[in-house]
Amino acid sequence: MQFDDDADLDTSEVRDVRGSRVPGGRATIGGGIAGIIALILGLFFGVGPEQLGLSSGDTAPAPTASTQAEVDQACRRGSDANTREDCRIVAVVNSVQDYWRAEFPRRQGRYTDARTVMFTGQVGTACGAATAAVGPFYCPADRQVYLDLDFFDDLRTKFGSTGGPFAQAYVVAHEYGHHVQNLMGTLQRAQDGRQGANSNAVRVELQADCYAGVWAHHATTTPDERTGRPVLTTLTDADIRDGLDAAAAVGDDRIQERFQGRVTPESWTHGSAAQRQQWFYTGYRTGDMARCNTFA
């Protein structure tokens, strides 16, 4: 996975609140069985903490040592994204949004940008407060993606993914898939309170996987509006394998087997490892969001 060394990164699409705190310090997830359940539910790449029942009501972090200025200074070019993890996230966000900004008008729609918020430990959102145990998530109420970069270590050490830069890109692109669903009115289908292998909750997540694959198909040919050149220049077969491996690692069946020792499809919320791989690859192979109809 390689970025154009001369790409002009847009850090305004990423808000860095690492080192900040949530007012009142109430964004906590209890230990014991509640904490285990939160971990199992949360580390799936989902939507906001209110859907997981983890909201504390706090809505904004109070900066104490924000690294936004550092990111603004350090993440200027694609060459920075090739060497720094936080700059890589900026570049992926830029690339993903370049694609959706171009795709929506082709379908008589209008894309609205969404920022990614990088945080550590805990964060306040319009969906409520959450800790890093919730994993990466999208909050429809403020149209932002939330990401603790430490999650990528967990993806390897706790969930057995091979990791790699494109595994990170897959996670980010999946969350922006939820943003696309929100703009299209699809995300509301997941909010019926049902779980299970055939639930709308699973269908929404699989569609977000497919949308991530659609972006990957077009990533190296989508020009950035600032330079006229793609931000991402190279995706290899090995990169795609890393993405497929990450998708499998967070399948409901894999996580249930790992954390509870048995698979219970009636409680699925995101789909099996095979399904997540299938839908990501469907998007990647076809490059057509119309092929991502997981509700058919």
Side-chain angles (χ1 to χ4, degrees), residues 173 208-218 279-285 287:
D209 282 334
C210 189
Y211 287 163
V214 169
W215 160 74
H217 176 96
H218 296 281
W279 282 104
F280 171 77
Y281 193 71
T282 294
Y284 176 68
R285 177 177 54 82

Side-chain angles (χ1 to χ4, degrees), residues 187-267:
L187 194 56
Q188 289 79 353
R189 294 196 188 194
Q191 310 309 312
D192 59 9
R194 298 178 182 177
Q195 298 179 342
N198 295 315
S199 66
N200 284 335
V202 166
R203 296 177 190 275
V204 162
E205 295 298 334
L206 295 177
Q207 186 177 65
D209 282 334
C210 189
Y211 287 163
V214 169
W215 160 74
H217 176 96
H218 296 281
T220 60
T221 58
T222 298
D224 181 77
E225 58 188 20
R226 293 177 296 279
T227 66
R229 304 187 308 273
V231 174
L232 183 61
T233 59
T234 305
L235 272 184
T236 67
D237 289 343
D239 291 324
I240 299 305
R241 285 195 297 271
D242 283 344
L244 288 167
D245 185 75
V250 291
D252 283 330
D253 52 343
R254 292 274 187 93
I255 291 181
Q256 287 178 341
E257 182 66 35
R258 181 179 290 264
F259 285 96
Q260 65 186 31
R262 67 187 187 281
V263 176
T264 54
E266 63 273 13
S267 64

Side-chain angles (χ1 to χ4, degrees), residues 5 13 33 51 64 77 130 134 180 207 209 238 244-245 256 260 266:
D5 281 342
E13 294 183 0
I33 189 64
Q51 279 76 37
T64 57
R77 295 286 182 266
V134 177
V180 169
Q207 186 177 65
D209 282 334
L244 288 167
D245 185 75
Q256 287 178 341
Q260 65 186 31
E266 63 273 13

Side-chain angles (χ1 to χ4, degrees), residues 56 58 73 93 163 168 204 214 263 269 283:
S56 74
D58 294 315
Q73 181 66 31
V93 170
Q168 299 175 1
V204 162
V214 169
V263 176
T269 56

Side-chain angles (χ1 to χ4, degrees), residues 4-155:
D4 175 10
D5 281 342
D6 295 323
D8 182 14
L9 301 187
D10 183 1
T11 57
S12 71
E13 294 183 0
V14 174
R15 182 176 174 227
D16 191 350
V17 299
R18 289 176 292 176
S20 300
R21 62 179 176 83
V22 174
R26 294 189 289 125
T28 59
I29 295 174
I33 189 64
I36 293 172
I37 292 173
L39 182 66
I40 293 173
L41 287 177
L43 294 175
F44 275 32
F45 313 160
V47 292
E50 62 182 1
Q51 279 76 37
L52 299 177
L54 303 177
S55 172
S56 74
D58 294 315
T59 59
T64 57
S66 174
T67 54
Q68 183 69 50
E70 180 184 346
V71 167
D72 290 342
Q73 181 66 31
C75 303
R76 293 177 176 271
R77 295 286 182 266
S79 55
D80 303 318
N82 287 322
T83 57
R84 282 181 58 128
E85 182 180 51
D86 49 3
C87 298
R88 181 160 62 240
I89 299 303
V90 174
V92 171
V93 170
N94 290 172
S95 176
V96 169
Q97 297 210 104
D98 282 339
Y99 173 70
W100 290 117
R101 274 193 293 263
E103 181 63 18
F104 264 57
R106 287 194 285 265
R107 298 179 181 275
Q108 290 72 55
R110 181 177 179 273
Y111 181 77
T112 303
D113 284 359
R115 284 198 298 183
T116 286
V117 179
M118 295 190 294
F119 71 98
T120 52
Q122 59 188 35
V123 68
T125 81
C127 295
T131 72
V134 177
F137 64 90
Y138 171 72
C139 174
D142 60 23
R143 294 183 174 182
Q144 295 190 122
V145 170
Y146 291 86
L147 176 65
D148 186 328
L149 299 188
D150 287 344
F151 171 78
F152 297 128
D153 291 331
D154 292 338
L155 190 60

